[in-house]
Amino acid sequence: MEITVKDVEYLAEAAKFEFTEDEKQKFAQALSDVINAVDVLAQTDTQGVQPTIYVISVKNVFREDEVLPSMDRDILLKNAADVQDGCYRVPKVVE
Amino acid sequence: MELYKLTVHEAVDLINKKEVTYQQIVQSALQQIHEVDKDVKAFITLTDERALEDSRQLDAVKADEEGLSVLAGIPFGVEDNICTQGVRTTCASKMLDNFVPPYSATAFSRIARQRGVLMGKLNTDEFSMGLTTETSYFHETRNPWDLNRIAGGASAGAAAAVAADEVFYALATDTGGSLRRAAAFCGVVGLKPTYGMVSRYGVISSGSSMDQVGPIAKNVKDCALVFQAIAGSDKADPMTATARVADYVGALADDIKGLRIGLLRECFDKGIDKDVKEAVLNAAKTLEGLGAHVEEISLPSVELAPAAHCVILSAEVSSNLGRYDGIKYGYRVERCQDLDDLYKKTRTQGFGDEVKLRVMLGTYALSAGNYERYYLQALKVRTIIKAELEKAFEKFDAVVLPTCSTTAWKFGDKVDSALAMFLADKYTAPASIAGVPAITIPCGFDVNGLPIGMQLMGKPFSEATLLRIAFTFEQNTDYHIKRPAIDWR
Amino acid sequence: MKYEVVIGLEIHAELSTQSKVFCGCSTKFGAAPNTQCCPICIGMPGVLPLINKKALEYTIKAGLALNCSIARYTKMDRKNYFYPDLPRACQISQYDMPVCQNGYLDIVVNGSTRRIGINRIHLEEDAGKLLHDQYADSTLVDLNRSGVPLIEIVTEPDLRSAEEAKVFLETLRTILRYIDVSDCKMEEGSLRCDVNISIRPEGQKEFGVRTEMKNLNSFRAVYRAIEYEANRQIAIMEEGGTVLRETRRWDEGAGKSFSMRAKEHAQDYRYFPEPDLPPIEIDDEWVEEIRRQIPELPDQKRRRYVEEYGLPEYDAGILTSSKDLADYFENCVKLYENPKAISNWLMGDFLRLVNEKNIEISDVPVTAENLVKLLKLIDSKVISGPIAKTVFEEMFNTGKDPEAIVEEKGLKQITDRDELVKVIKRVLEENPKSVEDYKKGKKKALGFLVGQTMKATRGKANPQLVNEILLEELEK
Ligand SMILES: [Mg+2]
Ligand SMILES: [Zn+2]
């Protein structure tokens, strides 16, 4: 399986990266290498095998519906780069 | 006396006998850090003032009150992907260069509650993606045994700091073997617990279904002491709901008579350094000599573990790292045209190439049309590996294998890439994929005098057994006593 | 050509839990921005979600009320996409194992019952809110709503008109309120609806190309948007064009929908199991326990009111349209043997005042006991019907006991025959024209004379008695 520059462009769009043409080439190659290496998985017979999502048998862990104090807004927003009127600020979003 | 060279339990003895103060111990460790860290570069952030203040307070308490925990006053370090409230936590990434979490990871809190003294945050690869800390945004951590060599990755800062006696022990994370690999390369003890044994709360997610926090220590007893402190269920991490804690320190008997140990045949076939192979086989003989039944075992599916691990990790990483968008915390590009531009510039400039590759790989593996072939298939292969291990553990109390196929290599010898990581995870990925515990302990040195690690894997929640085997091995060998030969002064 | 409209709805209802679905922050509406947030619901690194048990139980409850089968094993999944209101760039939702599947809801449209299929109901988290208006070049992000539990209800494409869609939503809202899992306030965004709509020539089996409509903030908007969109699609077909698969935004002010984005490159959300949350097993016992908490639903209640209380269908429908009203009715019935009389009062002055004052039924100050007292005052002829209306209005304003009001204001009915005869004689004297009219055969004149008598007694005269005496006097 070969990852093309076009694939890289698609993946970069989905993951929100932007690359130069050189970088696209480089990532296409690096991705192809890994994809080829993991292809042993596709070659493995897994007929009738169920996927394992959770490695330990834990289930039904819940919290009760209790209100806990929220975090002080100033502390919460302290790490944000752009804050206005107690909100995170981003460039105008057009819907 | 060189207090910084002590192990945890040696230091505790001296404190209890009132021969030393907490301040002396912390000062000694700080002195060693100032002495060696310019070469080793284990730390990203030093919390020296806070450490001194902590030790002063402890001495004041100690004067009129007994009963402090064994970890009280003992200097330790924390890998920089484990959140520490009020102390910046970077994940070795430009993205989180100035991130100061308003909360602490449970594992860290548990030590802090016992009044352990944090010396600082330790270098790692960017978001744990690397083998050598070459992907760290800050610097490379060097191996105390040979400064031209890597100390491993991603938990290199943690392992090197312990090996260079900068801290008594460290908390590190392991997702595919990073804790174990670094510990092996630096000749120290490292334990990756059963998945769900230690809370992941506050640990910056990498591969969520495999991430675990564990101790890196100078010997097995210290390892057990620290593990005892951090293990157990935590309401903030639902995956810990079934954690079963044992008396790990109490389990440290110098006795493995009758224990059944499998020697993993697949590891010794190809692609392994001669010296490593010899050392691990010798170690197996030693275990046999100490009364264990050692028998060869074949687990053919473990060969698939690195590939399965690579796909699952990448998929989880691609989603986990979506939150770094420049809005709520972390790096944000100064100028952008619009929202999409903000996302792209922030993420492109904030992340290094290794992280980008990983994220794209995971995006690929989860995309429509690829999901079945890669992600779902990896989960199915995980089932096969897990089943094979479970079957092995019906017969064996532990499985012995090398931690790595080589010893630490020189910077520049290997290109740090997802593919290289994939190959290096060969022996460590199976335990991660199956969620079982694994410990690495020093078991020899190669021709260059570099440490070699032996790995012991066990069934879920069998940490006590693994620690006991490791302890017995350690009691009857002296690999762990040897320290790096570098004369720092 | 005649066309058939095919409609499917995707409804998001906020669950009325006290705390969010994955953290302990409050879900209260209307707080200052970002004051109901914590590291978990703003997606800080390393923190982990924890499922609110009640949110899951509410989802199961909704599924049972909508006749779904409940999954015995389920899990949460991640839906990945970037948007500023989604702090982790992934929404915790459910993909291939929703909690509820294969249900239905019967609705009554123009007197006939239609069964609308429910494809699935799943649990997920709400996103934050974007504030667009304050600044010209920037948008503000408020994450108070981030992590509020939602159920997403997806219907089968079984609806065939705007009217049906509207009735479906009303019926659904009534049920969700009945079972107390959501307050369903469209104006506060706790009930939201996206509409999938396509048209096809009548008789054709295959579905046409559908569009998805968003931003429908009221039942009226849903109705209008469907009408508009169906006509738009029909016009395209008539002109020989093709409908595009796209998402459209309804502009209520303009009464039009606008294309948002073409769906050709359908976004790939890369769903995968949420690795931070353990799976969920739901056993029969748990399901039954939740089933027991479901009260009698409006449909059953309506039928029972007709059978048990002999109410007309119409009355039963109105009384059961809200659980609070039905509860009120039943409280009254327990104290008073004439259900129709209660129904008349509730559907009449009671609901009129509720609407005029725009208050919740649970906030009406008139207790069932007092309403019944009022009815008994009428029965025992202590007050007249018209006076009762005045008394009720006073009760509604003050919450006072009707007897006290009657006493205080001297509203007791005049039933003293001699006294009334005196009054009536005077009325007849004062209205010779009407008396003449009546005697000429204009029976309507009697009504006028009754009215004059009531006026003279300020409504307190017993109307029956007035009638009786008037007839006697006029026949003399
Ligand atoms: Mg949804
Ligand atoms: Zn919260």
Side-chain angles (χ1 to χ4, degrees):
Chain A
M1 195 75 63
E2 205 200 323
I3 308 292
T4 63
V5 164
K6 215 172 155 227
D7 293 330
V8 171
E9 285 168 352
Y10 171 80
L11 296 172
E13 183 58 41
K16 300 293 177 201
F17 298 135
E18 55 185 14
F19 297 133
T20 64
E21 292 309 310
D22 275 2
E23 285 172 324
K24 287 179 197 167
Q25 295 277 354
K26 200 188 74 184
F27 278 116
Q29 185 58 53
L31 283 167
S32 298
D33 289 349
V34 186
I35 288 297
N36 286 325
V38 299
D39 215 45
V40 289
L41 298 174
Q43 261 107 70
T44 306
D45 181 11
T46 55
Q47 233 188 349
V49 178
Q50 290 300 310
T52 296
I53 301 165
Y54 317 98
V55 288
I56 47 169
S57 52
V58 53
K59 61 179 186 210
N60 292 17
V61 186
F62 303 113
R63 47 173 284 272
E64 294 304 317
D65 182 26
E66 286 163 1
V67 176
L68 300 173
S70 289
M71 189 168 264
D72 184 280
R73 185 166 74 183
D74 293 339
I75 297 173
L76 200 73
L77 297 178
K78 210 170 178 177
N79 277 290
D82 194 354
V83 168
Q84 180 76 50
D85 306 345
C87 292
Y88 303 99
R89 183 159 68 175
V90 297
K92 192 86 181 171
V93 176
V94 249
E95 274 176 290
Chain B
M1 200 188 323
E2 291 157 317
L3 294 174
Y4 62 88
K5 282 189 175 171
L6 297 175
T7 63
V8 174
H9 55 272
E10 286 164 352
V12 171
D13 280 350
L14 291 181
I15 292 165
N16 286 339
K17 282 190 231 152
K18 300 206 168 11
E19 285 176 26
V20 298
T21 64
Y22 288 117
Q23 285 179 76
Q24 283 171 319
I25 293 198
V26 169
Q27 270 158 357
S28 170
L30 263 182
Q31 207 180 342
Q32 173 71 350
I33 291 169
H34 290 311
E35 197 73 43
V36 307
D37 208 56
K38 58 187 186 300
D39 293 321
V40 177
K41 295 182 164 174
F43 284 88
I44 290 176
T45 304
L46 208 58
T47 52
D48 43 356
E49 276 173 29
R50 169 186 167 144
L52 283 169
E53 177 54 32
D54 284 353
S55 68
R56 266 194 292 275
Q57 282 183 14
L58 276 164
D59 279 328
V61 172
K62 190 76 180 175
D64 50 53
E65 178 188 336
E66 295 296 321
L68 284 169
S69 138
V70 282
L71 296 178
I74 307 297
F76 74 107
V78 171
E79 189 171 355
D80 211 17
N81 57 356
I82 298 173
C83 288
T84 41
Q85 186 178 346
V87 177
R88 83 170 174 154
T89 301
T90 68
C91 247
S93 179
K94 179 180 179 182
M95 189 59 94
L96 291 178
D97 187 12
N98 51 18
F99 176 63
V100 180
Y103 47 88
S104 284
T106 301
F108 167 74
S109 298
R110 287 188 174 174
I111 304 268
R113 210 174 308 137
Q114 298 204 17
R115 310 196 67 170
V117 175
L118 178 71
M119 305 303 284
K121 304 299 294 286
L122 298 161
N123 198 21
T124 177
D125 277 286
E126 184 181 10
F127 284 96
S128 307
M129 301 298 144
L131 288 172
T132 62
T133 61
E134 282 164 301
T135 73
S136 169
Y137 172 63
F138 299 96
H139 47 250
E140 292 152 10
T141 294
R142 300 196 246 172
N143 195 316
W145 295 82
D146 177 349
L147 294 174
N148 296 314
R149 291 175 189 269
I150 65 157
S155 314
V162 174
D165 291 321
E166 296 177 82
V167 292
F168 283 64
Y169 65 92
L171 295 184
T173 67
D174 190 307
T175 304
S178 79
L179 179 159
R180 286 164 283 161
R181 250 189 342 259
F185 283 169
C186 293
V188 288
V189 177
L191 172 67
K192 180 207 93 81
T194 309
Y195 184 78
M197 195 64 211
V198 178
S199 172
R200 295 169 303 131
Y201 180 82
V203 176
I204 298 184
S205 304
S206 163
S208 308
S209 73
M210 298 174 290
D211 292 341
Q212 268 298 288
V213 180
I216 292 181
K218 294 178 192 177
N219 64 20
V220 175
K221 188 168 179 191
D222 286 1
C223 182
L225 278 171
V226 178
F227 182 55
Q228 193 84 59
I230 61 174
S233 64
D234 171 23
K235 282 210 166 68
D237 178 1
M239 292 300 175
T240 62
T242 56
R244 276 173 277 154
V245 181
D247 177 2
Y248 301 109
V249 183
L252 300 180
D254 179 4
D255 176 18
I256 53 169
K257 276 184 210 78
L259 286 185
R260 298 152 306 166
I261 295 173
L263 184 58
L264 189 56
R265 184 193 300 146
E266 278 77 10
C267 292
F268 303 99
D269 290 349
K270 52 183 188 251
I272 181 166
D273 280 8
K274 190 171 114 303
D275 292 355
V276 174
K277 179 176 173 174
E278 222 163 80
V280 178
L281 288 175
N282 269 335
K285 279 210 187 81
T286 304
L287 292 172
E288 200 168 17
L290 291 166
H293 298 297
V294 179
E295 200 181 303
E296 262 202 11
I297 175 180
S298 171
L299 300 170
S301 74
V302 300
E303 303 264 4
L304 296 167
H309 174 264
C310 174
V311 170
I312 296 168
L313 171 66
S314 305
E316 292 176 348
V317 162
S318 73
S319 173
N320 284 335
L321 269 56
R323 72 189 66 200
Y324 305 104
D325 56 10
I327 299 175
K328 296 131 331 211
Y329 42 77
Y331 177 75
R332 172 171 179 149
V333 70
E334 294 238 337
R335 270 172 223 285
C336 60
Q337 289 156 8
D338 54 29
L339 179 70
D340 201 53
D341 197 41
L342 167 72
Y343 283 147
K344 286 178 178 161
K345 287 213 162 69
T346 295
R347 289 171 61 80
T348 302
Q349 294 170 23
F351 288 132
D353 281 356
E354 196 52 39
V355 169
K356 286 176 202 150
L357 179 72
R358 230 356 129 165
V359 169
M360 284 197 289
L361 194 57
T363 306
Y364 183 83
L366 289 176
S367 292
N370 296 330
Y371 184 89
E372 279 79 12
R373 185 182 178 90
Y374 296 100
Y375 180 70
L376 190 63
Q377 185 71 358
L379 294 183
K380 288 178 178 173
V381 168
R382 178 191 253 178
T383 306
I384 296 174
I385 296 167
K386 201 167 165 268
E388 210 172 85
L389 283 173
E390 272 163 16
K391 200 154 166 260
F393 293 130
E394 281 171 17
K395 196 173 167 200
F396 295 103
D397 297 298
V399 170
V400 165
L401 66 165
T403 308
C404 314
S405 56
T406 67
T407 51
W409 57 83
K410 284 187 175 155
F411 282 103
D413 267 9
K414 285 185 192 172
V415 182
D416 213 355
S417 72
L419 190 61
M421 199 160 153
F422 176 110
L423 297 170
D425 281 337
K426 203 159 98 178
Y427 301 147
T428 49
S432 296
I433 272 283
V436 302
I439 191 167
T440 179
I441 50 169
C443 74
F445 296 90
D446 74 354
V447 64
N448 297 313
L450 298 165
I452 295 167
M454 162 172 72
Q455 191 182 191
L456 292 158
M457 267 195 297
K459 65 176 167 228
F461 306 110
S462 70
E463 282 87 351
T465 307
L466 296 184
L467 286 162
R468 179 172 142 205
I469 299 171
F471 181 75
T472 303
F473 182 82
E474 198 182 72
Q475 290 300 299
N476 295 280
T477 56
D478 58 3
Y479 307 111
H480 66 289
I481 293 165
K482 260 199 167 172
R483 308 311 309 154
I486 290 168
D487 182 6
W488 304 106
R489 289 170 177 81
Chain C
M1 203 188 297
K2 277 215 131 203
Y3 291 92
E4 182 180 44
V5 187
V6 176
I7 303 156
L9 303 178
E10 281 176 35
I11 297 128
H12 287 90
E14 272 185 7
L15 297 176
S16 48
T17 54
Q18 300 296 303
S19 63
K20 292 185 179 182
V21 59
F22 300 120
C23 66
C25 292
S26 168
T27 55
K28 251 203 196 100
F29 182 79
N34 295 306
T35 53
Q36 289 175 176
C37 296
C38 71
I40 295 174
C41 58
I42 74 150
M44 276 193 157
V47 295
L48 300 168
L50 299 157
I51 291 199
N52 182 332
K53 190 176 186 188
K54 188 151 266 174
L56 177 72
E57 290 182 333
Y58 280 0
T59 310
I60 297 171
K61 206 172 175 187
L64 292 173
L66 297 174
N67 309 294
C68 292
S69 56
I70 307 300
R72 287 304 183 258
Y73 179 90
T74 182
K75 65 176 166 65
M76 303 306 293
D77 296 284
R78 287 192 191 172
K79 178 183 183 180
N80 296 286
Y81 64 97
F82 285 90
Y83 210 62
D85 65 4
L86 192 66
R88 292 206 310 164
C90 66
Q91 179 194 30
I92 303 182
S93 179
Q94 295 194 292
Y95 185 55
D96 56 343
M97 293 182 183
V99 174
C100 319
Q101 266 176 303
N102 295 327
Y104 63 85
L105 174 58
D106 287 336
I107 58 171
V108 182
V109 187
N110 303 325
S112 57
T113 301
R114 292 258 293 119
R115 178 158 290 187
I116 307 303
I118 307 284
N119 177 287
R120 62 185 280 159
I121 305 174
H122 69 248
L123 174 64
E124 61 182 28
E125 59 176 333
D126 207 346
K129 205 166 100 189
L130 299 184
L131 312 166
H132 298 292
D133 306 329
Q134 280 98 322
Y135 300 94
D137 58 346
S138 56
T139 292
L140 301 184
V141 186
D142 170 11
L143 296 178
N144 278 349
R145 217 173 60 187
S146 164
V148 169
L150 290 179
I151 45 173
E152 179 173 329
I153 303 168
V154 183
T155 76
E156 298 294 349
D158 290 346
L159 296 158
R160 292 293 174 267
S161 69
E163 179 65 17
E164 284 189 6
K166 193 177 132 251
V167 173
F168 178 88
L169 279 177
E170 284 167 352
T171 313
L172 177 72
R173 180 176 65 173
T174 305
I175 289 181
L176 295 181
R177 286 178 171 176
Y178 253 73
I179 61 173
D180 218 8
V181 301
S182 173
D183 61 17
C184 293
K185 290 182 183 164
M186 261 189 145
E187 66 280 11
E188 287 181 10
S190 68
L191 185 74
R192 307 195 284 274
C193 178
D194 297 340
V195 178
N196 287 309
I197 171 167
S198 65
I199 55 159
R200 61 182 172 189
E202 226 160 57
Q204 182 182 302
K205 273 229 161 102
E206 303 82 55
F207 291 126
V209 176
R210 70 165 189 261
T211 59
E212 186 184 354
M213 248 183 319
K214 292 195 176 289
N215 194 39
L216 304 165
N217 296 324
S218 65
F219 288 174
R220 183 182 130 92
V222 170
Y223 187 93
R224 288 177 73 203
I226 291 173
E227 293 267 276
Y228 174 88
E229 181 60 16
N231 288 331
R232 191 189 68 87
Q233 291 187 11
I234 289 168
I236 292 173
M237 297 284 272
E238 298 273 74
E239 285 164 24
T242 41
V243 175
L244 286 181
R245 176 91 202 269
E246 62 183 354
T247 303
R248 299 180 68 84
R249 185 175 200 281
W250 175 250
D251 184 330
E252 179 70 11
K256 284 178 178 174
S257 68
F258 297 94
S259 177
M260 283 171 78
R261 52 182 178 258
K263 274 241 170 173
E264 291 159 62
H265 301 289
Q267 202 174 353
D268 184 354
Y269 291 116
R270 304 186 306 283
Y271 280 97
F272 78 107
E274 168 56 82
D276 287 329
L277 287 170
I280 297 159
E281 244 174 54
I282 305 165
D283 59 18
D284 291 350
E285 204 180 315
W286 196 6
V287 172
E288 289 317 309
E289 194 187 310
I290 295 167
R291 199 192 296 279
R292 281 195 293 275
Q293 295 165 18
I294 295 180
E296 184 183 29
L297 292 176
D299 201 34
Q300 295 161 274
K301 227 186 237 302
R302 187 169 45 80
R303 269 179 274 144
R304 183 167 63 83
Y305 283 14
V306 173
E307 282 165 28
E308 196 177 324
Y309 303 129
L311 292 182
E313 274 282 346
Y314 178 78
D315 290 36
I318 289 186
L319 292 178
T320 56
S321 64
S322 128
K323 181 155 184 303
D324 285 344
L325 185 60
D327 286 349
Y328 195 99
F329 170 75
E330 287 181 39
N331 285 336
C332 295
V333 168
K334 273 183 218 143
L335 304 167
Y336 187 71
E337 66 291 348
N338 185 351
K340 179 60 184 157
I342 298 166
S343 169
N344 288 345
W345 272 93
L346 291 180
M347 295 197 307
D349 289 6
F350 185 93
L351 281 183
R352 176 178 60 81
L353 288 169
V354 163
N355 290 333
E356 270 175 29
K357 298 192 189 297
N358 196 22
I359 61 170
E360 299 290 327
I361 285 165
S362 51
D363 295 337
V364 171
V366 182
T367 62
E369 288 76 13
N370 279 346
L371 178 59
V372 166
K373 252 189 206 168
L374 180 70
L375 296 178
K376 286 180 177 167
L377 287 176
I378 302 168
D379 289 351
S380 57
K381 304 200 160 72
V382 174
I383 55 172
S384 66
I387 284 291
K389 282 175 172 290
T390 316
V391 175
F392 183 75
E393 195 142 351
E394 180 72 11
M395 289 162 71
F396 204 97
N397 289 331
T398 61
K400 276 189 189 159
D401 183 288
E403 282 165 1
I405 296 170
V406 169
E407 196 63 42
E408 227 171 76
K409 308 211 159 177
L411 296 172
K412 268 205 186 130
Q413 189 161 246
I414 304 169
T415 46
D416 182 338
R417 202 178 169 90
D418 295 343
E419 195 185 333
L420 275 180
V421 168
K422 266 186 230 158
V423 176
I424 286 170
K425 278 190 169 156
R426 203 170 62 236
V427 168
L428 293 181
E429 268 166 35
E430 285 165 7
N431 297 284
K433 175 96 176 40
S434 297
V435 175
E436 208 174 303
D437 283 352
Y438 179 83
K439 290 191 169 162
K440 278 182 190 157
K442 277 195 183 171
K443 299 291 169 205
K444 259 172 102 184
L446 179 65
F448 175 77
L449 291 168
V450 169
Q452 289 304 107
T453 310
M454 294 309 282
K455 204 173 156 192
T457 59
R458 285 184 291 124
K460 291 189 287 182
N462 178 324
Q464 237 174 324
L465 205 53
V466 170
N467 242 326
E468 230 177 272
I469 299 170
L470 261 174
L471 285 174
E472 273 174 33
E473 292 296 320
L474 287 165
E475 294 307 321
K476 274 183 189 166

